[in-house]
Amino acid sequence: MKQDLLSEALNIIRNRKEKAEHEAYNQKLKAMQDKSFAQMYKKYVNTLIENARKEAFGEKFDPNEVANLKSQYMQRLKELNIPSIEANYSCKKCRDAGFVGEQYCDCLKKEISKILLEKSNFGKLEDFKGSDFNIFENKEEMKKIYDLMYQWCNKSDTNKNLVYLLGQTGTGKTHLLRCMANEFIKQNKLVILTTAFNLSQLFIKYHSSKDKEALNDILSCEVLFIDDLGTEPFFNNITREYTYLVINERRMKNLRTVITSNLSPAELRDRYDERIFSRVMDRTSSIVLELKGDDKRFSSKK
């Protein structure tokens, strides 16, 4: 993960942490002005410390005493109309730190995905539940495809880690891609959306040695979406080689990849090569779906 992207996401999360702790601190100052609460809270803290000392030296103590004292001061807070003196973290799992141990917390992955989405220029995401199929003449067939992709997004044990969505412009490919991306982001997956054109620019950076980390995120994110494969400019010794690298590497790591394209299987083979064709069309590890219909703008319910 590039350091600037990680830092941007961490700043968002840690700003939440600072805000939550600042609000808790102010609430505590307010509560401590009440003598009754102050006495209860002081006794609670002193008991915590004393019990820790007793436990360290193997001395007996009443484990329920601390809970009872906390219950008393919580009741007093209620009487004072103060909701809590403890920080209300947005993420209870990591307490708005961004990490659980040395691993990215789900909340951090979600923020990274949001930032990547904003930088991708894909605009807003869509939702499976809001999709309107009445615009299509083949609406029952389209509904089946969307249902199948919804199930794939929510199936954790699938061996099919690549989806190839082919069809002419206006058949709903990009809308479906946005629905799928939204579904994975809701699952706190690390998601990258890119166009084939933008991906080709990364290939050039990598190939020219200007940025040796240019492909790291593409190769390692949990779900990669590539829109409009086949519309990007073709560069000798770059396009085929690095497209294969991305598809094959992600397949070997069992990471999910979703590709939309206007290219038929035959056109895919002609533009790229047999290696890419075989990886994409391998029915043991891929799902290939054709979205048919006229060139229409896909709409969703407001």
Side-chain angles (χ1 to χ4, degrees), residues 2 6 10 34 54 78 85 90 133 142 145 156 159 173 205 209 225 252:
K2 289 187 176 180
L6 181 59
L10 280 172
D34 178 75
K54 288 179 179 179
K78 187 176 181 181
I85 60 170
S90 298
F133 302 98
M142 293 299 293
I145 290 175
S156 59
N159 292 323
K173 301 188 305 297
K205 286 182 181 180
S209 301
F225 291 87
M252 297 298 292

Side-chain angles (χ1 to χ4, degrees), residues 168-296:
Q168 296 305 306
T169 302
T171 53
K173 301 188 305 297
T174 301
H175 181 276
L176 177 53
L177 179 149
R178 287 173 174 163
C179 289
M180 296 169 73
N182 190 28
E183 200 64 27
F184 282 118
I185 289 174
K186 287 191 290 185
Q187 297 171 27
N188 299 314
K189 301 291 187 185
L190 185 52
V191 173
I192 291 180
L193 293 92
T194 186
T195 61
F197 177 84
N198 287 339
L199 190 58
S200 72
Q201 303 309 300
L202 285 180
F203 292 162
I204 292 172
K205 286 182 181 180
Y206 185 83
H207 186 75
S208 63
S209 301
K210 291 180 181 178
D211 186 354
K212 279 301 183 184
E213 296 183 354
L215 295 184
N216 286 3
D217 294 345
I218 295 295
L219 295 174
S220 63
C221 66
E222 291 175 281
V223 191
L224 173 65
F225 291 87
I226 305 172
D227 198 29
D228 280 339
L229 186 72
T231 60
E232 76 279 15
F234 193 93
F235 301 102
N236 289 329
N237 302 318
I238 293 178
T239 302
R240 287 194 183 103
E241 288 73 6
Y242 294 118
T243 299
Y244 176 78
L245 171 67
V246 169
I247 292 174
N248 190 60
E249 185 78 8
R250 294 184 58 80
R251 180 187 180 185
M252 297 298 292
K253 293 179 179 178
N254 199 31
L255 295 171
R256 300 201 191 201
T257 306
V258 180
I259 300 171
T260 72
S261 179
N262 295 345
L263 300 178
S264 67
E267 290 169 334
L268 180 71
R269 178 186 291 168
D270 291 342
R271 178 176 173 83
Y272 299 99
D273 58 23
E274 184 65 34
R275 297 179 307 160
I276 293 173
F277 173 82
S278 65
R279 291 294 184 272
V280 173
M281 294 297 158
D282 183 357
R283 298 305 177 101
T284 64
S285 60
S286 303
I287 298 174
V288 179
L289 296 171
E290 182 176 4
L291 282 70
K292 301 177 181 178
D294 297 329
D295 184 354
K296 295 179 180 179

